[in-house]
Amino acid sequence: MSARAALATALDRIERYDEDIGALLEVDAAGAAARAAELDRSESHGALHGMPFVVKANMCIEGRIASCGSRMLEGYRAPYTASAVQRLIDEGAVPIGIANMDEFAFGSSGENSSFGSTRNPWDLSRAPGGSSSGSAAAVAARMVPFALGSDTGGSVRQPAALCGVTGYKPTYGVVSRHGLIAFGSSLDAVGVLATSAADVERVLAVISGADERDATSALRAPFEPAPARTDLRGLRVGLPREYFPADLDGRVRQPLEQALDDLRRLGAELVELDLPTTRHAIAAYYVVATAEASSNLARYDGVRYGARIAGDGSLQGMFAATRGAAFGAEALRRILLGTYVLSSGYYDAWYLRALKVRRAILRDFQAAFERVDVLAAPTSPTPAFRLGEKLSDPLAMYLCDVLTVPTSLAGLPAISVPCGCAAEDGVELPVGLQLIGPAFEDARVLSVARCYQAATEHHRRLPPLVAGGVA
Ligand code: GLN
Protein backbone atom coordinates (compact mmCIF):
# COMPACT_ATOMS: atom_id res chain seq x y z
CA MET A 1 0.00 0.00 0.00
CA SER A 2 1.28 3.48 -0.72
CA ALA A 3 2.05 5.70 2.25
CA ARG A 4 -0.47 8.23 0.97
CA ALA A 5 -3.28 5.66 0.75
CA ALA A 6 -2.54 4.39 4.27
CA LEU A 7 -2.56 7.94 5.57
CA ALA A 8 -5.85 8.76 3.83
CA THR A 9 -7.49 5.74 5.48
CA ALA A 10 -6.19 6.75 8.91
CA LEU A 11 -7.29 10.37 8.57
CA ASP A 12 -10.71 9.30 7.35
CA ARG A 13 -11.24 7.10 10.41
CA ILE A 14 -10.00 9.79 12.77
CA GLU A 15 -12.46 12.18 11.17
CA ARG A 16 -15.28 9.68 11.55
CA TYR A 17 -14.69 8.40 15.07
CA ASP A 18 -12.50 10.67 17.09
CA GLU A 19 -15.11 13.29 17.82
CA ASP A 20 -16.91 10.62 19.88
CA ILE A 21 -13.84 8.83 21.26
CA GLY A 22 -11.45 11.69 21.97
CA ALA A 23 -8.29 9.60 21.60
CA LEU A 24 -6.08 12.28 20.10
CA LEU A 25 -4.85 15.62 21.42
CA GLU A 26 -3.33 16.71 18.12
CA VAL A 27 -3.36 15.49 14.52
CA ASP A 28 -0.61 16.64 12.15
CA ALA A 29 -2.32 15.98 8.83
CA ALA A 30 -0.13 18.38 6.82
CA GLY A 31 3.17 17.10 8.20
CA ALA A 32 2.09 13.50 7.72
CA ALA A 33 0.97 14.18 4.14
CA ALA A 34 4.32 15.73 3.26
CA ARG A 35 6.17 12.79 4.80
CA ALA A 36 3.95 10.22 3.06
CA ALA A 37 4.48 11.86 -0.33
CA GLU A 38 8.23 11.93 0.24
CA LEU A 39 8.22 8.23 1.22
CA ASP A 40 6.25 7.24 -1.87
CA ARG A 41 8.73 9.08 -4.07
CA SER A 42 11.77 7.40 -2.53
CA GLU A 43 13.28 4.34 -4.19
CA SER A 44 13.93 2.27 -1.08
CA HIS A 45 11.18 1.34 1.35
CA GLY A 46 11.75 0.81 5.07
CA ALA A 47 10.42 -2.10 7.14
CA LEU A 48 7.33 -0.09 8.14
CA HIS A 49 6.86 1.83 4.90
CA GLY A 50 3.91 4.19 5.13
CA MET A 51 2.45 2.81 8.37
CA PRO A 52 0.68 5.62 10.23
CA PHE A 53 0.96 5.66 14.01
CA VAL A 54 0.21 7.80 17.04
CA VAL A 55 2.32 8.44 20.10
CA LYS A 56 1.31 8.88 23.74
CA ALA A 57 1.67 12.51 24.82
CA ASN A 58 4.63 11.71 27.10
CA MET A 59 6.91 10.84 24.18
CA CYS A 60 8.76 13.54 22.32
CA ILE A 61 8.43 14.29 18.62
CA GLU A 62 10.25 17.47 17.67
CA GLY A 63 7.81 20.35 17.32
CA ARG A 64 4.77 18.39 18.48
CA ILE A 65 2.70 18.55 21.66
CA ALA A 66 4.31 16.75 24.60
CA SER A 67 1.88 17.79 27.31
CA CYS A 68 1.83 14.50 29.25
CA GLY A 69 -1.91 15.13 29.54
CA SER A 70 -1.15 17.89 32.05
CA ARG A 71 -1.97 21.60 32.36
CA MET A 72 1.60 21.89 33.62
CA LEU A 73 2.88 21.23 30.08
CA GLU A 74 -0.08 22.59 28.14
CA GLY A 75 1.18 23.86 24.81
CA TYR A 76 4.71 22.54 25.44
CA ARG A 77 6.33 21.32 22.23
CA ALA A 78 9.15 18.81 22.24
CA PRO A 79 12.57 20.14 21.23
CA TYR A 80 13.76 16.74 19.96
CA THR A 81 12.48 13.29 18.97
CA ALA A 82 12.49 10.20 21.19
CA SER A 83 14.82 7.41 20.04
CA ALA A 84 12.00 4.88 19.60
CA VAL A 85 10.01 7.33 17.49
CA GLN A 86 13.05 8.28 15.42
CA ARG A 87 13.72 4.63 14.63
CA LEU A 88 10.13 4.22 13.44
CA ILE A 89 10.41 7.30 11.25
CA ASP A 90 13.71 6.03 9.82
CA GLU A 91 11.95 2.80 8.78
CA GLY A 92 9.18 4.66 6.95
CA ALA A 93 6.44 4.79 9.59
CA VAL A 94 4.52 8.08 9.68
CA PRO A 95 3.62 9.78 12.98
CA ILE A 96 0.23 11.39 12.56
CA GLY A 97 -0.90 12.40 16.02
CA ILE A 98 -0.46 12.66 19.75
CA ALA A 99 -2.61 10.47 21.98
CA ASN A 100 -4.43 11.49 25.15
CA MET A 101 -3.32 10.02 28.48
CA ASP A 102 -3.73 10.27 32.24
CA GLU A 103 -1.71 13.19 33.58
CA PHE A 104 1.98 12.15 33.70
CA ALA A 105 0.77 8.52 33.22
CA PHE A 106 -0.87 8.44 36.66
CA GLY A 107 -4.07 6.45 36.35
CA SER A 108 -5.96 3.48 35.00
CA SER A 109 -8.90 5.08 33.24
CA GLY A 110 -7.72 8.05 31.18
CA GLU A 111 -9.82 10.30 33.39
CA ASN A 112 -6.84 12.04 34.96
CA SER A 113 -6.05 13.81 31.68
CA SER A 114 -6.30 17.60 32.01
CA PHE A 115 -7.79 17.63 28.52
CA GLY A 116 -10.89 15.47 28.98
CA SER A 117 -11.45 11.71 29.14
CA THR A 118 -11.03 9.43 26.17
CA ARG A 119 -14.02 7.10 25.73
CA ASN A 120 -13.91 3.35 25.17
CA PRO A 121 -14.81 2.55 21.53
CA TRP A 122 -16.77 -0.54 22.70
CA ASP A 123 -19.08 1.54 24.87
CA LEU A 124 -18.70 5.31 24.93
CA SER A 125 -19.98 5.51 28.50
CA ARG A 126 -17.00 3.49 29.71
CA ALA A 127 -13.31 4.17 30.36
CA PRO A 128 -10.73 2.89 27.87
CA GLY A 129 -8.33 2.11 30.71
CA GLY A 130 -5.10 3.96 31.26
CA SER A 131 -2.81 5.54 31.38
CA SER A 132 -2.23 4.96 27.63
CA SER A 133 -5.94 5.66 27.09
CA GLY A 134 -5.73 7.45 23.74
CA SER A 135 -3.20 5.02 22.26
CA ALA A 136 -5.43 2.01 23.08
CA ALA A 137 -8.65 3.66 21.90
CA ALA A 138 -7.05 4.81 18.62
CA VAL A 139 -5.94 1.27 17.78
CA ALA A 140 -9.27 -0.24 18.91
CA ALA A 141 -11.14 2.11 16.55
CA ARG A 142 -8.62 1.18 13.81
CA MET A 143 -7.60 4.81 13.34
CA VAL A 144 -4.01 3.55 13.14
CA PRO A 145 -2.45 0.07 12.86
CA PHE A 146 -0.29 0.70 15.92
CA ALA A 147 0.50 3.19 18.65
CA LEU A 148 3.26 3.75 21.18
CA GLY A 149 2.39 3.89 24.86
CA SER A 150 4.31 3.68 28.11
CA ASP A 151 3.91 1.06 30.80
CA THR A 152 5.14 1.79 34.32
CA GLY A 153 2.72 -0.45 36.19
CA GLY A 154 0.38 -1.69 33.47
CA SER A 155 -0.44 1.35 31.37
CA VAL A 156 -0.09 -0.44 28.04
CA ARG A 157 -1.50 -3.84 29.01
CA GLN A 158 -4.55 -2.72 31.02
CA PRO A 159 -5.97 -0.28 28.41
CA ALA A 160 -5.20 -2.87 25.71
CA ALA A 161 -7.31 -5.39 27.64
CA LEU A 162 -10.19 -2.95 28.18
CA CYS A 163 -10.17 -1.83 24.52
CA GLY A 164 -9.77 -5.30 22.96
CA VAL A 165 -6.35 -4.79 21.39
CA THR A 166 -2.91 -6.36 21.81
CA GLY A 167 -0.59 -4.47 24.19
CA TYR A 168 3.05 -5.28 24.88
CA LYS A 169 5.44 -4.21 27.62
CA PRO A 170 8.98 -5.33 26.74
CA THR A 171 11.63 -6.36 29.25
CA TYR A 172 12.92 -3.23 31.04
CA GLY A 173 15.72 -1.75 28.95
CA VAL A 174 14.88 -3.44 25.64
CA VAL A 175 13.46 -0.19 24.22
CA SER A 176 15.24 3.10 24.84
CA ARG A 177 13.53 5.56 27.19
CA HIS A 178 15.34 8.51 25.62
CA GLY A 179 12.58 11.04 24.91
CA LEU A 180 10.01 9.33 27.12
CA ILE A 181 9.13 11.87 29.81
CA ALA A 182 9.94 10.12 33.08
CA PHE A 183 7.39 8.89 35.63
CA GLY A 184 9.18 6.08 37.51
CA SER A 185 12.56 5.69 35.87
CA SER A 186 13.26 2.18 37.19
CA LEU A 187 9.86 0.95 35.96
CA ASP A 188 9.09 2.93 32.80
CA ALA A 189 8.97 0.98 29.53
CA VAL A 190 7.98 2.11 26.05
CA GLY A 191 5.28 -0.31 24.89
CA VAL A 192 3.42 -1.10 21.69
CA LEU A 193 -0.33 -1.32 21.06
CA ALA A 194 -1.46 -3.02 17.85
CA THR A 195 -4.11 -5.38 16.56
CA SER A 196 -1.94 -8.50 16.71
CA ALA A 197 1.22 -9.89 18.30
CA ALA A 198 2.71 -10.21 14.80
CA ASP A 199 2.35 -6.44 14.31
CA VAL A 200 3.84 -5.79 17.76
CA GLU A 201 6.85 -7.87 16.67
CA ARG A 202 7.33 -5.84 13.50
CA VAL A 203 7.33 -2.61 15.51
CA LEU A 204 9.47 -3.99 18.34
CA ALA A 205 12.11 -5.17 15.85
CA VAL A 206 12.50 -1.52 14.80
CA ILE A 207 12.37 0.31 18.16
CA SER A 208 14.44 -2.12 20.28
CA GLY A 209 18.20 -2.39 20.69
CA ALA A 210 20.89 -0.54 22.61
CA ASP A 211 20.82 3.26 22.64
CA GLU A 212 23.75 5.29 23.89
CA ARG A 213 21.36 8.10 24.86
CA ASP A 214 19.72 5.96 27.57
CA ALA A 215 22.10 4.66 30.23
CA THR A 216 19.56 1.98 31.24
CA SER A 217 19.07 0.65 27.74
CA ALA A 218 20.17 -2.99 27.53
CA LEU A 219 23.33 -3.56 25.50
CA ARG A 220 21.65 -5.98 23.19
CA ALA A 221 20.96 -6.41 19.51
CA PRO A 222 17.46 -5.45 18.33
CA PHE A 223 14.64 -7.92 18.96
CA GLU A 224 14.16 -10.67 16.39
CA PRO A 225 10.91 -12.62 16.21
CA ALA A 226 11.10 -16.35 16.92
CA PRO A 227 10.14 -18.69 14.06
CA ALA A 228 6.39 -19.28 13.80
CA ARG A 229 5.08 -22.12 15.93
CA THR A 230 2.07 -24.07 14.73
CA ASP A 231 1.32 -25.45 18.19
CA LEU A 232 2.44 -25.12 21.81
CA ARG A 233 3.61 -28.67 22.37
CA GLY A 234 6.38 -28.84 24.95
CA LEU A 235 5.49 -25.43 26.39
CA ARG A 236 4.88 -25.29 30.14
CA VAL A 237 2.45 -22.54 31.12
CA GLY A 238 2.27 -21.55 34.79
CA LEU A 239 -1.01 -20.39 36.32
CA PRO A 240 -0.25 -18.37 39.45
CA ARG A 241 -3.01 -19.10 41.98
CA GLU A 242 -2.84 -15.53 43.29
CA TYR A 243 -3.99 -14.25 39.88
CA PHE A 244 -7.08 -16.49 39.89
CA PRO A 245 -8.66 -15.77 43.28
CA ALA A 246 -11.91 -17.50 44.19
CA ASP A 247 -13.74 -14.18 43.88
CA LEU A 248 -12.35 -13.34 40.43
CA ASP A 249 -15.02 -11.47 38.45
CA GLY A 250 -17.03 -14.03 36.49
CA ARG A 251 -17.00 -11.76 33.44
CA VAL A 252 -13.21 -12.20 33.36
CA ARG A 253 -13.03 -15.80 34.56
CA GLN A 254 -15.21 -17.24 31.82
CA PRO A 255 -13.23 -15.96 28.77
CA LEU A 256 -9.97 -16.70 30.63
CA GLU A 257 -10.92 -20.32 31.19
CA GLN A 258 -11.78 -20.61 27.52
CA ALA A 259 -8.34 -19.19 26.68
CA LEU A 260 -6.61 -21.67 28.99
CA ASP A 261 -8.51 -24.48 27.23
CA ASP A 262 -7.27 -23.11 23.91
CA LEU A 263 -3.67 -23.14 25.17
CA ARG A 264 -4.15 -26.75 26.32
CA ARG A 265 -5.72 -27.68 22.98
CA LEU A 266 -2.64 -26.23 21.26
CA GLY A 267 -0.50 -28.64 23.25
CA ALA A 268 0.68 -26.56 26.20
CA GLU A 269 0.97 -28.16 29.62
CA LEU A 270 -0.73 -26.05 32.31
CA VAL A 271 0.84 -26.02 35.77
CA GLU A 272 -0.62 -24.31 38.83
CA LEU A 273 1.90 -22.58 41.04
CA ASP A 274 2.24 -19.90 43.72
CA LEU A 275 3.70 -16.42 43.62
CA PRO A 276 3.24 -15.68 47.33
CA THR A 277 4.63 -12.12 47.25
CA THR A 278 1.91 -11.02 44.81
CA ARG A 279 -0.22 -9.65 47.63
CA HIS A 280 2.46 -7.11 48.54
CA ALA A 281 2.98 -5.87 44.99
CA ILE A 282 0.46 -3.02 44.93
CA ALA A 283 1.80 -1.58 48.18
CA ALA A 284 5.41 -1.86 47.03
CA TYR A 285 4.56 -0.37 43.64
CA TYR A 286 2.79 2.67 45.06
CA VAL A 287 5.80 3.36 47.28
CA VAL A 288 8.49 2.91 44.62
CA ALA A 289 6.52 4.55 41.79
CA THR A 290 5.47 7.59 43.82
CA ALA A 291 8.98 8.01 45.24
CA GLU A 292 10.43 8.13 41.75
CA ALA A 293 7.58 10.28 40.44
CA SER A 294 8.02 12.88 43.18
CA SER A 295 11.66 13.17 42.23
CA ASN A 296 11.04 13.24 38.47
CA LEU A 297 8.31 15.86 38.80
CA ALA A 298 10.49 18.22 40.82
CA ARG A 299 11.63 19.78 37.53
CA TYR A 300 8.19 21.29 36.87
CA ASP A 301 8.67 24.41 38.94
CA GLY A 302 7.72 27.14 36.50
CA VAL A 303 11.32 27.97 35.63
CA ARG A 304 12.12 26.01 32.50
CA TYR A 305 9.01 24.27 31.25
CA GLY A 306 5.37 24.98 30.72
CA ALA A 307 3.16 26.78 33.19
CA ARG A 308 4.33 29.67 35.37
CA ILE A 309 2.13 31.47 37.89
CA ALA A 310 3.66 34.44 39.73
CA GLY A 311 1.98 33.90 43.13
CA ASP A 312 3.16 36.42 45.72
CA GLY A 313 6.05 37.48 43.52
CA SER A 314 8.81 35.68 45.43
CA LEU A 315 10.67 32.72 43.90
CA GLN A 316 9.26 30.28 46.47
CA GLY A 317 5.84 31.77 45.94
CA MET A 318 6.13 31.24 42.19
CA PHE A 319 7.12 27.57 42.67
CA ALA A 320 4.22 26.97 45.04
CA ALA A 321 1.62 28.81 42.98
CA THR A 322 2.71 27.09 39.76
CA ARG A 323 2.78 23.58 41.19
CA GLY A 324 -0.39 24.06 43.21
CA ALA A 325 -2.39 25.25 40.23
CA ALA A 326 -0.96 23.35 37.27
CA PHE A 327 -0.76 19.80 38.69
CA GLY A 328 -4.01 17.86 38.90
CA ALA A 329 -5.25 16.10 42.04
CA GLU A 330 -3.65 12.73 41.29
CA ALA A 331 -0.24 14.27 40.52
CA LEU A 332 -0.36 16.22 43.79
CA ARG A 333 -1.35 13.08 45.68
CA ARG A 334 1.62 11.18 44.24
CA ILE A 335 4.09 13.97 44.93
CA LEU A 336 2.93 14.06 48.55
CA LEU A 337 3.11 10.28 48.93
CA GLY A 338 6.48 10.01 47.22
CA THR A 339 8.01 12.86 49.21
CA TYR A 340 6.73 11.28 52.42
CA VAL A 341 8.18 7.81 51.77
CA LEU A 342 11.56 9.33 50.91
CA SER A 343 11.73 11.72 53.83
CA SER A 344 14.30 11.26 56.56
CA GLY A 345 12.89 9.06 59.31
CA TYR A 346 10.40 7.36 57.00
CA TYR A 347 12.80 6.29 54.26
CA ASP A 348 13.79 3.02 55.97
CA ALA A 349 10.26 2.14 56.99
CA TRP A 350 8.71 2.72 53.58
CA TYR A 351 11.02 3.15 50.63
CA LEU A 352 13.75 0.74 51.69
CA ARG A 353 11.22 -1.88 52.73
CA ALA A 354 9.43 -1.55 49.39
CA LEU A 355 12.74 -2.16 47.61
CA LYS A 356 13.14 -5.38 49.60
CA VAL A 357 9.65 -6.49 48.65
CA ARG A 358 10.47 -5.67 45.05
CA ARG A 359 13.48 -7.98 45.22
CA ALA A 360 11.35 -10.74 46.80
CA ILE A 361 8.81 -10.41 43.98
CA LEU A 362 11.57 -10.81 41.40
CA ARG A 363 12.85 -13.92 43.20
CA ASP A 364 9.33 -15.40 43.19
CA PHE A 365 9.15 -14.98 39.44
CA GLN A 366 12.64 -16.42 38.97
CA ALA A 367 11.67 -19.51 40.97
CA ALA A 368 8.50 -19.90 38.89
CA PHE A 369 10.47 -19.69 35.65
CA GLU A 370 12.58 -22.63 36.75
CA ARG A 371 9.42 -24.70 36.46
CA VAL A 372 7.54 -23.11 33.56
CA ASP A 373 8.29 -21.25 30.32
CA VAL A 374 5.63 -18.53 30.57
CA LEU A 375 2.89 -17.51 32.98
CA ALA A 376 -0.74 -16.95 31.99
CA ALA A 377 -3.17 -14.75 33.92
CA PRO A 378 -5.90 -12.17 33.44
CA THR A 379 -4.64 -8.67 32.60
CA SER A 380 -7.30 -6.71 34.45
CA PRO A 381 -9.56 -7.80 37.32
CA THR A 382 -12.61 -6.40 35.49
CA PRO A 383 -13.71 -5.43 31.98
CA ALA A 384 -14.11 -1.72 31.19
CA PHE A 385 -15.85 0.19 33.98
CA ARG A 386 -18.00 3.26 33.59
CA LEU A 387 -16.46 6.71 33.33
CA GLY A 388 -16.76 8.30 36.76
CA GLU A 389 -17.26 5.00 38.55
CA LYS A 390 -13.90 4.97 40.37
CA LEU A 391 -12.99 8.65 40.26
CA SER A 392 -13.78 9.44 43.87
CA ASP A 393 -11.93 6.40 45.18
CA PRO A 394 -8.18 6.46 44.40
CA LEU A 395 -7.60 3.11 46.12
CA ALA A 396 -10.16 1.36 43.92
CA MET A 397 -8.38 2.89 40.93
CA TYR A 398 -4.99 1.65 42.20
CA LEU A 399 -6.39 -1.89 42.48
CA CYS A 400 -6.95 -1.94 38.71
CA ASP A 401 -3.22 -2.65 38.48
CA VAL A 402 -3.06 -5.58 40.87
CA LEU A 403 -2.35 -8.04 38.02
CA THR A 404 0.13 -5.89 36.09
CA VAL A 405 2.40 -4.21 38.66
CA PRO A 406 4.27 -7.35 39.83
CA THR A 407 5.81 -7.81 36.36
CA SER A 408 6.68 -4.10 36.22
CA LEU A 409 8.49 -4.29 39.56
CA ALA A 410 10.39 -7.32 38.24
CA GLY A 411 11.10 -5.71 34.83
CA LEU A 412 9.67 -8.69 32.93
CA PRO A 413 8.14 -8.82 29.44
CA ALA A 414 4.35 -9.21 29.34
CA ILE A 415 1.62 -9.02 26.74
CA SER A 416 -2.15 -8.64 26.87
CA VAL A 417 -4.11 -10.29 24.06
CA PRO A 418 -7.89 -10.22 23.58
CA CYS A 419 -9.42 -13.55 24.66
CA GLY A 420 -13.14 -12.94 24.35
CA CYS A 421 -15.84 -10.64 25.57
CA ALA A 422 -18.20 -10.37 28.51
CA ALA A 423 -21.73 -9.22 27.77
CA GLU A 424 -23.10 -6.49 30.02
CA ASP A 425 -26.20 -4.33 29.58
CA GLY A 426 -26.42 -5.47 25.97
CA VAL A 427 -22.83 -4.49 25.07
CA GLU A 428 -19.79 -6.68 24.59
CA LEU A 429 -16.76 -5.77 26.69
CA PRO A 430 -13.35 -7.21 25.78
CA VAL A 431 -11.28 -9.27 28.21
CA GLY A 432 -7.49 -9.69 28.06
CA LEU A 433 -5.24 -12.70 28.61
CA GLN A 434 -1.84 -11.76 29.99
CA LEU A 435 1.27 -13.79 29.14
CA ILE A 436 4.45 -13.12 31.13
CA GLY A 437 7.98 -14.36 30.44
CA PRO A 438 11.46 -14.31 31.99
CA ALA A 439 13.65 -11.25 31.45
CA PHE A 440 14.83 -10.88 27.85
CA GLU A 441 12.63 -13.73 26.64
CA ASP A 442 10.55 -11.22 24.68
CA ALA A 443 10.62 -13.42 21.60
CA ARG A 444 9.20 -16.36 23.56
CA VAL A 445 6.27 -14.38 24.97
CA LEU A 446 5.43 -12.88 21.61
CA SER A 447 5.67 -16.18 19.74
CA VAL A 448 3.24 -17.82 22.18
CA ALA A 449 0.85 -14.90 21.70
CA ARG A 450 1.24 -15.16 17.92
CA CYS A 451 0.47 -18.89 18.00
CA TYR A 452 -2.63 -18.26 20.17
CA GLN A 453 -3.84 -15.58 17.77
CA ALA A 454 -3.27 -17.81 14.74
CA ALA A 455 -5.65 -20.33 16.35
CA THR A 456 -8.31 -17.87 17.58
CA GLU A 457 -10.31 -14.93 16.27
CA HIS A 458 -10.78 -12.71 19.35
CA HIS A 459 -8.20 -10.14 18.27
CA ARG A 460 -10.10 -9.61 15.00
CA ARG A 461 -13.33 -8.49 16.63
CA LEU A 462 -14.18 -4.85 16.15
CA PRO A 463 -16.10 -2.49 18.40
CA PRO A 464 -19.66 -2.11 17.06
CA LEU A 465 -19.03 1.59 16.43
CA VAL A 466 -16.45 0.80 13.75
CA ALA A 467 -17.52 -2.69 12.65
CA GLY A 468 -19.68 -1.31 9.84
CA GLY A 469 -17.03 0.99 8.42
CA VAL A 470 -13.84 -1.09 8.50
CA ALA A 471 -12.99 -3.91 6.15
N1 GLN B 1 -2.17 2.74 36.68
C1 GLN B 1 -0.84 2.68 37.23
C2 GLN B 1 -0.53 3.97 37.94
O1 GLN B 1 -1.39 4.78 37.99
C3 GLN B 1 0.15 2.40 36.15
C4 GLN B 1 0.47 3.60 35.39
C5 GLN B 1 1.44 3.36 34.30
O2 GLN B 1 1.79 2.23 33.98
N2 GLN B 1 1.91 4.46 33.75
O3 GLN B 1 0.55 4.18 38.42
Side-chain angles (χ1 to χ4, degrees):
M1 204 204 260
S2 77
R4 277 166 306 169
L7 176 63
T9 303
L11 292 176
D12 175 57
R13 291 184 188 164
I14 290 170
E15 171 94 27
R16 249 191 288 169
Y17 306 126
D18 207 39
E19 202 169 300
D20 287 334
I21 295 172
L24 304 179
L25 296 174
E26 181 185 60
V27 177
D28 177 23
R35 178 73 184 138
E38 184 189 343
L39 284 167
D40 283 341
R41 277 195 307 271
S42 75
E43 308 249 293
S44 62
H45 285 180
L48 301 175
H49 175 77
M51 265 173 105
F53 68 103
V54 297
V55 166
K56 187 174 180 177
N58 60 354
M59 291 192 73
C60 296
I61 307 182
E62 188 181 342
R64 315 270 29 125
I65 294 280
S67 64
C68 291
S70 176
R71 287 263 172 262
M72 182 61 89
L73 290 174
E74 186 168 12
Y76 175 73
R77 290 186 180 270
Y80 67 95
T81 299
S83 294
V85 176
Q86 191 58 53
R87 289 178 184 187
L88 291 170
I89 293 171
D90 293 345
E91 284 297 332
V94 180
I96 65 171
I98 304 300
N100 201 3
M101 61 183 281
D102 283 298
E103 179 173 27
F104 287 106
F106 303 150
S108 307
S109 69
E111 293 164 291
N112 292 336
S113 169
S114 299
F115 307 112
S117 304
T118 298
R119 283 174 282 278
N120 191 313
W122 291 79
D123 176 350
L124 297 175
S125 71
R126 290 178 194 263
S131 64
S132 306
S133 48
S135 299
V139 174
R142 302 303 192 265
M143 295 175 199
V144 279
F146 77 92
L148 293 187
S150 67
D151 191 313
T152 303
S155 281
V156 163
R157 290 162 285 161
Q158 186 259 11
L162 271 46
C163 285
V165 301
T166 302
Y168 189 63
K169 180 197 102 65
T171 303
Y172 181 81
V174 159
V175 178
S176 168
R177 293 186 295 116
H178 172 71
L180 168 66
I181 297 174
F183 160 4
S185 312
S186 77
L187 299 156
D188 291 343
V190 173
V192 183
L193 298 109
T195 61
S196 68
D199 278 358
V200 169
E201 289 181 313
R202 292 173 67 195
V203 173
L204 188 63
V206 171
I207 64 177
S208 57
D211 179 13
E212 62 183 16
R213 293 191 166 112
D214 170 6
T216 60
S217 122
L219 296 175
R220 288 180 172 248
F223 162 86
E224 274 182 51
R229 36 194 324 165
T230 51
D231 60 47
L232 298 178
R233 266 180 292 184
L235 188 84
R236 280 163 307 157
V237 177
L239 308 178
R241 289 192 186 89
E242 294 77 4
Y243 288 66
F244 295 88
D247 60 353
L248 178 64
D249 191 321
R251 296 169 302 171
V252 172
R253 181 181 293 279
Q254 201 266 327
L256 246 291
E257 280 181 354
Q258 177 63 51
L260 298 183
D261 277 348
D262 289 333
L263 296 178
R264 219 178 266 121
R265 191 169 46 84
L266 285 163
E269 181 195 343
L270 272 47
V271 184
E272 282 192 34
L273 47 78
D274 288 305
L275 292 172
T277 53
T278 302
R279 67 178 188 281
H280 304 301
I282 280 279
Y285 170 79
Y286 276 95
V287 173
V288 174
T290 57
E292 294 187 15
S294 72
S295 157
N296 277 322
L297 267 54
R299 74 192 65 173
Y300 306 109
D301 55 9
V303 177
R304 289 190 197 78
Y305 312 94
R308 177 182 299 174
I309 296 160
D312 65 9
S314 70
L315 185 60
Q316 286 296 337
M318 187 276 283
F319 291 164
T322 300
R323 289 168 68 82
F327 281 132
E330 185 58 28
L332 291 172
R333 186 155 37 235
R334 298 209 182 196
I335 291 167
L336 286 171
L337 257 172
T339 307
Y340 175 79
V341 302
L342 288 177
S343 58
S344 140
Y346 295 106
Y347 179 95
D348 289 356
W350 295 100
Y351 182 66
L352 210 60
R353 184 165 306 177
L355 291 186
K356 290 179 183 164
V357 172
R358 182 179 192 176
R359 180 49 61 102
I361 289 170
L362 174 61
R363 278 198 303 262
D364 253 12
F365 277 115
Q366 285 168 339
F369 286 124
E370 281 173 15
R371 296 178 53 200
V372 297
D373 302 304
V374 294
L375 297 166
T379 307
S380 160
T382 64
F385 44 91
R386 289 194 191 282
L387 288 164
E389 196 177 314
K390 295 187 199 276
L391 256 192
S392 57
D393 186 351
L395 267 186
M397 196 69 95
Y398 293 178
L399 286 173
C400 294
D401 311 318
V402 62
L403 303 168
T404 49
V405 297
T407 31
S408 295
L409 287 165
L412 306 179
I415 194 165
S416 179
V417 293
C419 70
C421 285
E424 189 171 294
D425 300 339
V427 294
E428 302 268 18
L429 301 175
V431 172
L433 162 72
Q434 185 178 199
L435 298 167
I436 303 163
F440 299 109
E441 296 293 348
D442 298 77
R444 183 193 300 169
V445 173
L446 283 158
S447 73
V448 173
R450 185 158 26 102
C451 177
Y452 172 76
Q453 291 187 329
T456 55
E457 294 289 324
H458 306 297
H459 62 294
R460 295 186 204 284
R461 282 183 67 170
L462 296 170
L465 180 73
V466 299
V470 175

